[in-house]
Amino acid sequence: MSFDIFSEIFSHLYFHERDNFNHIENSEMIDIVTRFIDLTHDYANIQEQQPIWDLCGRLYFPESSNDLTTELSEWLNMYYPLASVDERREEEEDEELEEHNGIGPTWVWELARQHLLRGNLDDAIEALEFLRQFVTAHEREAANELIDSIHEFSELRSSLDNQGTYIEKWTAWSEQCKEKYYRYKFSIPLPEDAQDEKDDEIVLIYSILAGDEDLLLRCGNFFEQLVGILLFIRPLSSLSDLNQLAEKLQANVDKDIILNTCTAIIRGCFDDAFQYQRNNIWLQTHLGYSLVALGIYGKDTKGLNNRRNGQTVMDPIYYGIQEYASMIADKYNMWNEAVIYLTSCLDNKEIWIKQLLGNPPLPSKDINQLLSILDIAREYKLFEIQRFIHKALGQRYEQDKNIQQATIEYGKAQDLSSLDRLSDVLFTGYLNDGKLKDIVTDMEELKQSPRYAALIRYRQFRDHLENKEWKDAAQVLKELLTNKNLPPQFESVLLVDNLDVLQDSKHYYDASRLFNMIQVFKQVIQVPSNQTFIADYYRSVKHIDLSPTIITAKIREQLAYKAATAPVII
């Protein structure tokens, strides 16, 4: 399932203009990416990743344009919920409710501050209403004032859809809260044994509403402080504002891997996030690539010396994809899927695919597996991989003695050395038994091999002879006599073959060409072994057993006659 989503993202990037997917507003891409979030709810083995995926979804690929503060508050309450007063009272039932700092149970004041920071306004009001029974009249009046301010803020939040109106109302409300805050601070009696005003529970509540950042940061955890600042100090902050703010705050999440990961994500430090998740290559691969696809994650390395050991130095996420692809191939036999994962890895894709497949590629797999990977390479224009697979197919067909199919594969691979070698094998076989077989003549790529091109031309020459197309045969023979890529002793072959052309009543060579042939003939017969070879070759193609002397005499006679009667120019 995760592969299907990944593949769909990659296909969109590959088959469409990249610029179309550089912004998270692209709803089509976001619809695809958010299906990963659904997976974390459907499969138990990845459910622990829900907070990470959901946080990214809310911040970096939202399906709607909700306020960032609202999204962060909802996320925090969903995955790290805070108990209500009644629920906490049940938890604290074994403790004395009156254990407090003079104005009520300490844990209730702490709970009120946490709910307020999170934007849980009703829960904050409930806690303050509960606390009123423990405080003095003066403090009760302050608690009522705090409750009224929170009610006003709750109503204010309903105007979020109109940002201009919201900011105007928020500014007026915030100024009122500051006035109440300062008025209350100066109204507190300060006996000699009084606590420092910063420890006063009511003052801390006032300080949150009034946006006193120093005191606010003494309350709650990292995530609560973040939401509180967005609510009461920096309303309608942008995502980049959020990233910068989170960088400045001290994260107090200990060694919790999920919380550390989420902290890094909020800061926009994705390398750090994936480092925390270094043992989770599924998440690195799919979340990382989703962020890449949306243009959120990835460095600009242009102009840098980013080559090492023949590979491009890439963002860490791509090394995670490489590791994940290797794992699913080895463990689950998902070779096609692994290749597609690696196809997303930009400059290193073909290098890494070769490393994955090995050399030769997948020797223990049947040929259908290679053909399937070849289809992928064609679809995504992986030209090196196509040649790599074609060469491997050629080797397999050659081992199975299917020389024609091996030749075709070597041609598609542009493997000139293998084509040269095959041409030598076929020429040798022909010289041994006179049978010219398994030659592919209708494939232009084969002509890139000089020796195989010579073999094709000789095959065409033989076809002309068999069809008694003497003029065409003579034209090809002229080329072959000067071809440097034919095997040794092939001049002897051509002299014997040429007998059929010479014996026709018509002239196909001019006098000059014939005199050149006579010179070649003289050079050939000066070597004794050549005469024996001529007799053997004549026997293999003519199926007549004649002595070397008779054969060479026939050749000499035909050349001399044609030369004596040939026109100067043809």
Side-chain angles (χ1 to χ4, degrees):
M1 189 67 181
S2 56
F3 166 74
D4 293 337
I5 302 172
F6 182 97
S7 179
E8 193 170 347
I9 294 171
F10 173 64
S11 294
H12 269 72
L13 289 178
Y14 182 84
F15 292 110
H16 296 79
E17 290 294 329
R18 170 75 195 192
D19 290 343
N20 291 342
F21 300 98
N22 276 345
H23 304 286
I24 61 173
E25 288 84 5
N26 186 279
S27 59
E28 185 177 3
M29 181 63 83
I30 289 173
D31 287 344
I32 301 171
V33 169
T34 51
R35 282 158 50 194
F36 280 124
I37 301 176
D38 297 335
L39 284 186
T40 65
H41 294 271
D42 296 339
Y43 292 90
N45 59 328
I46 55 174
Q47 283 181 355
E48 66 175 14
Q49 300 175 24
Q50 286 179 20
I52 299 172
W53 277 99
D54 193 25
L55 180 62
C56 283
R58 291 172 182 272
L59 298 184
Y60 297 104
F61 36 93
E63 294 183 272
S64 58
S65 56
N66 284 350
D67 170 56
L68 276 179
T69 311
T70 302
E71 294 289 356
L72 202 53
S73 172
E74 289 179 353
W75 173 84
L76 184 58
N77 286 318
M78 178 179 295
Y79 296 102
Y80 302 97
L82 200 59
S84 66
V85 172
D86 289 341
E87 290 168 339
R88 278 294 301 274
R89 288 181 68 187
E90 292 177 7
E91 294 172 8
E92 305 283 345
E93 61 185 357
D94 294 332
E95 299 182 15
E96 287 293 331
L97 192 61
E98 286 73 22
E99 288 181 3
H100 52 74
N101 64 357
I103 56 172
T106 303
W107 62 265
V108 183
W109 286 102
E110 181 182 0
L111 191 65
R113 292 193 299 272
Q114 286 182 282
H115 277 303
L116 185 57
L117 288 170
R118 287 169 173 245
N120 302 338
L121 304 180
D122 290 341
D123 290 308
I125 290 170
E126 180 186 5
L128 288 172
E129 288 176 339
F130 175 77
L131 286 165
R132 284 188 299 193
Q133 63 185 296
F134 299 101
V135 297
T136 65
H138 176 71
E139 292 161 343
R140 189 176 303 113
E141 181 181 344
N144 289 334
E145 188 174 64
L146 288 170
I147 290 170
D148 290 341
S149 294
I150 296 172
H151 274 303
E152 291 170 4
F153 186 68
S154 180
E155 293 177 8
L156 174 63
R157 295 287 292 171
S158 65
S159 63
L160 266 172
D161 290 341
N162 188 323
Q163 294 189 0
T165 300
Y166 179 76
I167 285 294
E168 183 180 344
K169 291 182 177 180
W170 181 91
T171 302
W173 174 85
S174 181
E175 289 300 321
Q176 292 175 6
C177 287
K178 287 182 174 65
E179 291 176 9
K180 295 174 184 177
Y181 170 45
Y182 294 129
R183 184 172 62 247
Y184 179 76
K185 282 207 320 181
F186 291 118
S187 70
I188 300 173
L190 296 173
E192 291 182 2
D193 61 347
Q195 300 177 42
D196 189 313
E197 66 178 25
K198 288 185 291 187
D199 294 325
D200 183 276
E201 305 289 3
I202 293 179
V203 168
L204 286 175
I205 298 289
Y206 268 117
S207 71
I208 293 172
L209 294 176
D212 186 331
E213 189 167 339
D214 290 337
L215 289 183
L216 184 152
L217 293 179
R218 295 180 55 202
C219 309
N221 58 36
F222 167 81
F223 299 99
E224 291 165 346
Q225 291 169 4
L226 194 59
V227 177
I229 291 174
L230 295 178
L231 282 171
F232 303 113
I233 301 176
R234 305 181 190 179
L236 302 181
S237 292
S238 67
L239 181 58
S240 60
D241 293 336
L242 173 63
N243 296 152
Q244 293 173 16
L245 172 61
E247 282 270 28
K248 294 177 181 178
L249 295 184
Q250 181 68 36
N252 47 1
V253 292
D254 298 323
K255 295 182 180 180
D256 188 300
I257 293 176
I258 297 293
L259 287 176
N260 274 297
T261 303
C262 291
T263 299
I265 287 170
I266 291 174
R267 289 172 170 169
C269 300
F270 298 109
D271 286 347
D272 292 342
F274 293 127
Q275 180 61 25
Y276 287 123
Q277 293 293 322
R278 57 187 173 274
N279 296 323
N280 189 340
I281 56 174
W282 184 88
L283 182 136
Q284 288 184 51
T285 295
H286 298 95
L287 178 56
Y289 193 67
S290 296
L291 294 170
V292 168
L294 291 164
I296 297 164
Y297 174 60
K299 301 180 182 67
D300 183 4
T301 58
K302 290 181 179 179
L304 300 178
N305 182 12
N306 59 350
R307 298 286 296 177
R308 189 178 302 160
N309 299 325
Q311 300 183 21
T312 299
V313 177
M314 308 186 75
D315 285 316
I317 188 62
Y318 291 104
Y319 297 96
I321 293 175
Q322 182 190 27
E323 184 180 355
Y324 182 75
S326 179
M327 183 274 291
I328 64 171
D330 292 340
K331 190 172 182 179
Y332 302 109
N333 202 34
M334 296 172 64
W335 293 98
N336 289 10
E337 293 85 348
V339 167
I340 290 179
Y341 275 108
L342 293 179
T343 301
S344 72
C345 294
L346 306 178
D347 293 349
N348 289 343
K349 58 189 175 186
E350 297 195 85
I351 297 172
W352 289 355
I353 291 172
K354 285 183 179 180
Q355 291 176 355
L356 175 76
L357 300 179
N359 191 13
L362 304 182
S364 63
K365 302 297 180 183
D366 64 32
I367 206 164
N368 289 326
Q369 178 67 78
L370 286 181
L371 291 172
S372 182
I373 293 173
L374 181 59
D375 287 339
I376 296 170
R378 287 196 191 104
E379 182 178 6
Y380 294 107
K381 295 181 173 57
L382 303 173
F383 298 116
E384 284 189 39
I385 301 303
Q386 290 179 48
R387 290 191 290 270
F388 186 58
I389 298 295
H390 280 304
K391 180 175 181 177
L393 291 171
Q395 291 169 339
R396 293 200 185 192
Y397 285 125
E398 188 177 357
Q399 289 172 359
D400 293 340
K401 309 301 181 184
N402 187 344
I403 301 303
Q404 280 192 320
Q405 192 60 44
T407 301
I408 292 170
E409 298 300 336
Y410 287 140
K412 291 178 179 179
Q414 300 177 22
D415 183 2
L416 304 187
S417 62
S418 292
L419 288 173
D420 285 345
R421 178 178 50 77
L422 270 189
S423 67
D424 292 343
V425 170
L426 294 172
F427 268 130
T428 300
Y430 175 65
L431 295 178
N432 288 334
D433 60 16
K435 296 178 181 178
L436 200 59
K437 55 189 177 183
D438 295 328
I439 299 173
V440 180
T441 60
D442 57 351
M443 187 175 174
E444 285 299 314
E445 293 92 334
L446 301 178
K447 297 176 183 178
Q448 299 300 313
S449 160
R451 278 186 268 179
Y452 205 92
L455 178 63
I456 292 172
R457 202 66 175 133
Y458 183 70
R459 169 74 269 179
Q460 293 168 343
F461 171 69
R462 290 297 309 177
D463 290 341
H464 290 316
L465 290 181
E466 291 169 11
N467 296 325
K468 298 182 179 181
E469 298 165 348
W470 310 124
K471 182 178 180 179
D472 292 332
Q475 188 61 40
V476 177
L477 182 69
K478 295 173 188 177
E479 298 175 24
L480 292 174
L481 282 170
T482 59
N483 193 309
K484 303 300 183 183
N485 295 295
L486 292 169
Q489 297 183 309
F490 224 75
E491 288 176 332
S492 301
V493 170
L494 294 175
L495 288 171
V496 173
D497 291 340
N498 196 30
L499 270 174
D500 291 335
V501 179
L502 294 172
Q503 288 170 347
D504 190 69
S505 60
K506 294 182 179 180
H507 281 280
Y508 299 104
Y509 307 111
D510 59 29
S512 175
R513 180 72 64 182
L514 287 162
F515 282 124
N516 288 338
M517 290 181 183
I518 290 170
Q519 293 303 314
V520 172
F521 172 72
K522 288 179 178 179
Q523 292 173 5
V524 167
I525 62 174
Q526 284 178 358
V527 181
S529 62
N530 283 345
Q531 296 195 36
T532 303
F533 174 80
I534 287 172
D536 292 339
Y537 176 68
Y538 191 90
R539 184 185 312 110
S540 68
V541 295
K542 301 291 187 180
H543 308 296
I544 300 173
D545 193 2
L546 297 177
S547 68
T549 303
I550 294 174
I551 299 169
T552 55
K554 292 179 67 167
I555 296 172
R556 183 184 297 109
E557 177 185 336
Q558 288 297 326
L559 285 172
Y561 172 75
K562 288 293 185 180
T565 59
V568 176
I569 298 175
I570 293 182

